[in-house]
Amino acid sequence: MKFWQKIYLFSFLVFVIIFNAASIMVIERSHNKMLGQEINNVLSQNMSIHSSVDAIVPILRIYDSIDYEKTVLTSIANEFVAKNSDEHVYMEITNDTNQMIFSNTDFTMPTHREELDNLDIDEINYILRDIDQHTILFTSNITNINNKRYVFTYMKDVTPLYQDRLDQYGFFVRVDLAACFLYMLIMLFVSRGLTKPINQLNRTAQVIAQGGFSERVRLKSKDEIGVLARNFNDMASVVENTINELERHNQEKQRFINNFTHELKTPLTSIIGYTNFLRTTKYNEERFLDGLNIIYSEGKRLESLSFKLMDLIMLQEDHFQMEEHDMGAVIAEIEPALEMMAKEKQVLIITDCEEGKLQLDKDLIKILIFNLVDNALKASAEQQSIMLRTYWRDGRYILEVIDQGIGISKEHGDKIFEPFYMADKARTRSYNGAGLGLSICQSVASIHNAVIEVGSKENQGTTIGVIFDQIGPKGGMNS
Amino acid sequence: MQKKILIVEDDIHISKIIKMNLNLVNYVTTEVYDGLAALEAVKQEKFDLILLDVMIPLLDGFALMEKIQPYRIPVIFLTAKNSVYDKVGGLNLGADDYMVKPFEGIELLARIETVLRRYGKEEHMIKFRNIQIDLDKREVTQQGEPVELTPKEYELIVVLLKNKNIALSREQFIDKVWGGDYYGETRTVDMHIKSVRKKLQLQDHIKTIYKIGYRLED
C-alpha cells in the first residue's frame, strides 16, 4: 500500500471512530438527560398526588367508608388525569386486596410489578417498561388510608423521548455520511499533497541511481522533508564529486598506461624492426651501421625510460633521508655535472645561490635539479644561458631555474606535470625524453612540502620556481 | 605497376625501417611525420595504401582517418595501444586492418598484401630475371617455356618472390605455404627448396642463411 494511501486510510478510520463515538455519546447523554427530567417530572406529579391524598386523609378518616374513599380517590385521579390530558398520562389506584379503584390505562398492566416488591409507605419507586411498542414510565407509591394500603401508580408514556433519540440517530447518520464523504475528499488531496515531495525525492533518487549524478531535488519547504531533500542533495553532490574524481583518476590512469605503452613500444618496435631487418637481408655496410646506431640509441632510450620509471617508483615509497643540508652546497656539488650536460649544447649555466639550510633528501633534490635543468636545456637554443638561483622571500626558500628557450604554450600549461606528457613529441624524443621529468619533480617537491610554480612566455623563456615552505607540518628548519 | 604506399609515423626510426622493408619488395613509399602533412600528401598524390600511426602530432590517426575517408584508400593502423576499444574504434572508422607495435616486417608485408588483394590491387604478374609467374593462371614460365611445378613448389616460389631479399625461416615457410596447422618436419621445406632451385635454376639466387632459413636474392 502506498504511503499516501496509508495516511488516507488510517486518518479516515480514526476520524470515523472518534466522530461516531463522540456523536453517540452526545446523543445518548442528551437522551439520558431528557429521560431524567421526564422521570423527575413524573415523580413530582406523583408526589403532588401523594400530598393531595395526604391532605384529604383526615376527612376520609371521618367517614371511613370504602365507597367514599373510592369516590374521593377517583375524583382526585380524574382531576390529575384531566390536568395532564394532553400528555399521555395514566393513573391506576388499587387497594391492598388488589382491587381496582381507578384506572384509565388503555393497555394491559403487567401482572408482576417489581417496583412494588419492597416498597415502603411514603416512598416512590419508578420503573421503565416496554409495553406494546410504547415505553411507559411507572411511578408507584403506597398510601395508608384508614389502615388500608392503597397503591397509586402514576404512569407516563415516554415513547416520544425514544422516538426523539431515534430521530437524532437518523439525523446523525445523514450528517455522518456527509462528513465522511467530505473528509474523504479533503484527505485525498491532503495526503496526496503531503506525500508529493516524497514522490519527487523518489524520482530524483531513481534518476541518480541510473547514473544521472548531476540531478538534484528542487524542494524549498522547511519541514522535515525539506531537510531530507537538502541532505539528499548534499549526499548527491558528494557522490557526484567522488564519481567525477574517480572518473578523472581513471582517465589519468588510462592516459598513463597509453603513454607508457607508447613509450615502451616505440623503441622496442625500432629495435626489433632493425635487428630483424639486419639479420634477414643481405649485408650492406652503410645500412648495417645505420641500423646498429639506431638500435643502440633506442636501447639507450629504453634504459633512460627505465631509470626514470625507477625514480618515480622510488618516490612512491616512503623511506627518505631527510637531513638538514644547505641548498647552495647541494647545487655547488652538482654544478660540474650540469655544466657538462650544458656544454654539449653550448649553453651557459649561471648559478646565484643564497645560503639556505633546509630539511632535504639530498639525492632527491639532485634528481629534481637535474630534471629541471634537463628540461631547460631541451628548450634552449645554442649560446643561450640557464640561470639557477635560490633566495629567501617571506620566510620561504625559493629555487628557480630560468631559461631563455621556446617556452610553454597555454594549452599545455596544466598538463605538463602528468607523467609522459610531452608538449612537443618530436623535440623531446630527439633528446631521449619520455615526459617523466616534471612528474618526478612534482613528486620530489611534494615530499619536501614544496610547490612548483611555472611562469612561461612563448619564445621568451620559462621560469620554474620550487617554493620550499617548511614551516608546515614537515617543517624542521626553525627548530 | 609499382604500388605507392604512404607511411604516416612520427617516430623517424620506425618510419625508416618500414620504408626499408617495403622498398625491398618493390613498393614505392612516401614518409610523412604528422597528421596534417599526411592529409596534404593524400590530397596531392594517389596512394594505393596508407600505413597510419594512431598517436601522431597535429592530427591524430583517428581524426585523420575521418578526413581521408572520401578518398577510399585502404588504411592499416599502426598502434601501440592494444586495448579492444581502440581496435574496434579504428576498424569502425573504416580501417582495413591494424597492427600492434612491436611488429615484424614480414608480418606487415603479409597484411599489406592481404589488404591490397581485397581491393583488387594485387599483382597479376611477378617477374624475376627470366622467370615470369601468372598469378591468375598459376603458371610459371622461364624464358617463355612453361615449367612444371607441384602446387607446394609453386606456393613456395611465390612466397620467395613476394618476400624478395628477406630471409624467411623454415617455420615461416611452413606457415605461408603449408598453412598454420601443418605439423610436418621442417626438413620438408629443405626438400622443396632443393627442387625449386633445380627446376628454376635458382641455385645462385636462393641462398641458405645461417641459423635462419632461405632468402631469394636479386
Side-chain angles (χ1 to χ4, degrees):
Chain A
M1 200 192 284
K2 286 190 169 158
F3 187 56
W4 74 266
Q5 288 169 332
K6 283 183 187 171
I7 293 181
Y8 185 53
L9 188 72
F10 287 121
S11 73
F12 180 68
L13 281 177
V14 170
F15 169 78
V16 167
I17 290 167
I18 292 178
F19 181 69
N20 282 285
S23 305
I24 290 166
M25 272 161 72
V26 167
I27 292 171
E28 283 300 315
R29 186 170 180 270
S30 94
H31 171 75
N32 286 338
K33 211 170 167 185
M34 300 270 279
L35 195 63
Q37 269 174 11
E38 199 62 52
I39 289 167
N40 282 340
N41 275 341
V42 176
L43 284 177
S44 62
Q45 280 295 352
N46 195 320
M47 294 262 269
S48 82
I49 294 170
H50 183 60
S51 49
S52 307
V53 173
D54 273 353
I56 57 160
V57 164
I59 304 168
L60 292 175
R61 250 185 223 138
I62 299 167
Y63 291 94
D64 192 13
S65 145
I66 291 177
D67 286 338
Y68 183 66
E69 285 166 15
K70 198 175 175 178
T71 314
V72 171
L73 292 177
T74 304
S75 81
I76 290 173
N78 269 329
E79 190 188 329
F80 267 99
V81 171
K83 203 164 84 188
N84 298 309
S85 62
D86 53 332
E87 297 172 46
H88 297 275
V89 294
Y90 307 98
M91 186 85 199
E92 191 195 60
I93 304 167
T94 51
N95 62 11
D96 46 359
T97 56
N98 224 3
Q99 195 181 1
M100 181 76 68
I101 287 161
F102 175 86
S103 176
N104 71 332
T105 55
D106 50 5
F107 50 84
T108 42
M109 290 294 276
T111 47
H112 181 68
R113 305 271 300 276
E114 301 92 342
E115 77 270 27
L116 300 176
D117 284 353
N118 290 308
L119 192 63
D120 284 336
I121 288 170
D122 292 338
E123 212 182 50
I124 304 174
N125 267 3
Y126 73 89
I127 195 167
L128 282 163
R129 277 206 184 83
D130 289 327
I131 295 166
D132 305 338
Q133 299 179 351
H134 285 269
T135 306
I136 292 165
L137 177 62
F138 285 74
T139 66
S140 307
N141 75 68
I142 295 171
T143 308
N144 210 344
I145 302 169
N146 296 338
N147 294 321
K148 289 184 286 283
R149 288 153 68 100
Y150 285 89
V151 176
F152 288 79
T153 305
Y154 182 74
M155 289 154 286
K156 187 169 184 192
D157 186 353
V158 291
T159 312
L161 277 182
Y162 285 90
Q163 189 57 48
D164 249 19
R165 185 168 72 159
L166 217 61
D167 288 348
Q168 291 241 15
Y169 274 115
F171 177 69
F172 163 68
V173 167
R174 285 197 299 277
V175 169
D176 191 37
L177 284 177
C180 284
F181 178 73
L182 202 65
Y183 187 87
M184 279 168 82
L185 201 69
I186 292 170
M187 272 315 284
L188 185 68
F189 290 111
V190 169
S191 59
R192 293 279 273 218
L194 283 178
T195 53
K196 211 169 142 192
I198 298 178
N199 291 337
Q200 215 176 322
L201 268 170
N202 217 354
R203 274 195 299 274
T204 310
Q206 273 171 349
V207 173
I208 290 178
Q210 279 159 13
F213 294 106
S214 52
E215 186 76 7
R216 293 290 179 273
V217 190
R218 273 173 292 280
L219 264 185
K220 292 250 159 54
S221 67
K222 285 184 176 161
D223 56 9
E224 288 89 333
I225 292 179
V227 173
L228 176 63
R230 267 201 304 284
N231 289 337
F232 182 87
N233 282 345
D234 289 347
M235 183 190 79
S237 25
V238 171
V239 169
E240 190 187 9
N241 287 343
T242 314
I243 298 266
N244 286 344
E245 188 77 353
L246 280 176
E247 189 88 347
R248 207 172 53 76
H249 272 292
N250 218 13
Q251 280 172 3
E252 226 167 69
K253 209 164 126 192
Q254 191 55 49
R255 261 207 306 275
F256 179 88
I257 291 168
N258 283 347
N259 289 330
F260 176 66
T261 41
H262 190 262
E263 283 312 311
L264 200 63
K265 287 189 172 181
T266 305
L268 277 178
T269 306
S270 285
I271 291 171
I272 294 170
Y274 281 93
T275 41
N276 198 43
F277 187 84
L278 294 181
R279 85 187 174 117
T280 56
T281 58
K282 209 171 167 181
Y283 177 75
N284 166 309
E285 186 169 3
E286 195 192 340
R287 262 191 344 217
F288 184 73
L289 288 176
D290 257 5
L292 284 184
N293 276 333
I294 290 167
I295 291 164
Y296 176 78
S297 70
E298 293 297 274
K300 282 298 225 185
R301 187 165 141 196
L302 269 182
E303 186 196 28
S304 147
L305 173 69
S306 65
F307 282 149
K308 297 238 163 162
L309 272 178
M310 274 191 274
D311 281 348
L312 253 190
I313 291 163
M314 187 187 76
L315 294 177
Q316 315 270 306
E317 290 167 9
D318 236 354
H319 25 76
F320 313 108
Q321 299 283 311
M322 298 296 251
E323 283 165 21
E324 197 175 73
H325 291 287
D326 176 26
M327 183 72 87
V330 176
I331 291 172
E333 243 177 78
I334 57 170
E335 210 181 329
L338 294 177
E339 273 167 2
M340 284 257 282
M341 259 166 69
K343 214 172 183 177
E344 272 181 48
K345 223 181 165 185
Q346 299 179 25
V347 172
L348 190 63
I349 294 206
I350 306 160
T351 53
D352 171 18
C353 298
E354 258 180 46
E355 189 180 295
K357 286 199 189 305
L358 302 172
Q359 288 290 322
L360 303 174
D361 182 317
K362 212 158 99 176
D363 293 332
L364 293 187
I365 289 296
K366 283 181 185 173
I367 290 174
L368 171 88
I369 295 171
F370 262 115
N371 275 301
L372 290 180
V373 172
D374 191 40
N375 275 346
L377 270 174
K378 282 170 190 164
S380 300
E382 286 185 9
Q383 311 302 339
Q384 287 182 335
S385 62
I386 292 169
M387 173 93 163
L388 188 62
R389 66 170 182 171
T390 61
Y391 57 92
W392 285 96
R393 194 182 62 198
D394 303 333
R396 294 188 179 114
Y397 192 70
I398 297 162
L399 164 72
E400 275 181 352
V401 178
I402 305 157
D403 67 54
Q404 303 160 333
I406 55 169
I408 302 161
S409 70
K410 281 216 176 76
E411 53 165 322
H412 302 302
D414 51 340
K415 295 185 199 139
I416 54 171
F417 291 108
E418 264 182 37
F420 294 112
Y421 189 82
M422 279 179 275
D424 179 354
K425 285 196 210 169
R427 174 169 57 88
T428 40
R429 284 283 164 73
S430 49
Y431 293 97
N432 286 339
L436 287 174
L438 276 175
S439 301
I440 291 169
C441 292
Q442 182 83 294
S443 298
V444 173
S446 71
I447 287 164
H448 289 86
N449 208 24
V451 284
I452 297 183
E453 275 180 8
V454 182
S456 186
K457 272 193 182 149
E458 273 189 272
N459 299 321
Q460 288 182 32
T462 305
T463 301
I464 297 207
V466 188
I467 299 154
F468 292 86
D469 186 1
Q470 298 207 332
I471 303 151
K474 280 192 182 175
M477 197 209 86
N478 290 338
S479 57
Chain B
M1 253 293 277
Q2 285 180 312
K3 302 282 176 266
K4 275 203 267 183
I5 294 180
L6 179 65
I7 304 167
V8 190
E9 162 66 64
D10 66 323
D11 189 281
I12 291 166
H13 299 326
I14 296 178
S15 179
K16 200 169 148 196
I17 186 70
I18 292 172
K19 174 192 164 76
M20 282 156 66
N21 272 304
L22 296 187
N23 289 352
L24 274 184
V25 290
N26 291 338
Y27 288 115
V28 179
T29 53
T30 304
E31 293 167 89
V32 288
Y33 307 106
D34 64 67
L36 287 182
L39 190 59
E40 208 48 46
V42 169
K43 283 178 184 166
Q44 300 287 330
E45 225 177 314
K46 207 179 162 302
F47 291 100
D48 294 293
L49 188 129
I50 301 174
L51 294 174
L52 179 56
D53 185 16
V54 179
M55 283 167 92
I56 45 173
L58 303 179
L59 194 65
D60 76 58
F62 292 146
L64 178 67
M65 185 73 217
E66 280 176 52
K67 296 207 175 195
I68 59 173
Q69 236 166 4
Y71 295 92
R72 306 209 137 272
I73 306 169
V75 172
I76 296 178
F77 269 126
L78 303 176
T79 172
K81 301 179 185 185
N82 50 7
S83 73
V84 175
Y85 171 79
D86 287 311
K87 290 173 188 171
V88 172
L91 293 178
N92 275 349
L93 277 173
D96 293 89
D97 205 348
Y98 60 88
M99 292 202 62
V100 179
K101 294 177 188 173
F103 49 81
E104 283 194 33
I106 187 143
E107 192 194 341
L108 179 64
L109 293 178
R111 302 253 187 154
I112 290 173
E113 206 198 310
T114 309
V115 171
L116 287 179
R117 192 184 306 132
R118 197 184 304 151
Y119 278 76
K121 290 181 174 181
E122 80 273 29
E123 297 286 339
H124 300 285
M125 286 292 206
I126 302 177
K127 282 181 192 157
F128 181 75
R129 303 177 70 83
N130 57 7
I131 300 168
Q132 189 162 346
I133 300 177
D134 186 327
L135 290 169
D136 296 332
K137 295 185 186 163
R138 292 173 71 90
E139 262 180 17
V140 183
T141 50
Q142 193 163 25
Q143 287 172 323
E145 293 295 310
V147 182
E148 285 300 319
L149 294 177
T150 67
K152 293 296 173 210
E153 285 164 356
Y154 170 80
E155 299 284 347
L156 189 67
I157 186 67
V158 170
V159 167
L160 278 168
L161 283 169
K162 280 183 177 171
N163 297 287
K164 193 173 63 176
N165 293 321
I166 299 171
L168 297 170
S169 67
R170 291 176 178 79
E171 286 75 19
Q172 281 168 327
F173 280 115
I174 286 181
D175 186 45
K176 289 177 184 298
V177 176
W178 281 268
D181 47 1
Y182 178 82
Y183 288 107
E185 280 187 55
T186 49
R187 261 185 57 78
T188 316
V189 178
D190 301 329
M191 310 277 288
H192 281 80
I193 289 281
K194 206 172 153 189
S195 66
V196 168
R197 268 182 182 150
K198 201 175 157 194
K199 285 185 180 173
L200 294 168
Q201 286 105 49
L202 288 171
Q203 286 85 351
D204 294 339
H205 297 285
I206 298 177
K207 294 271 169 67
T208 304
I209 310 297
Y210 175 65
K211 279 202 169 178
I212 298 179
Y214 300 98
R215 177 168 66 212
L216 180 70
E217 289 176 7
D218 278 316

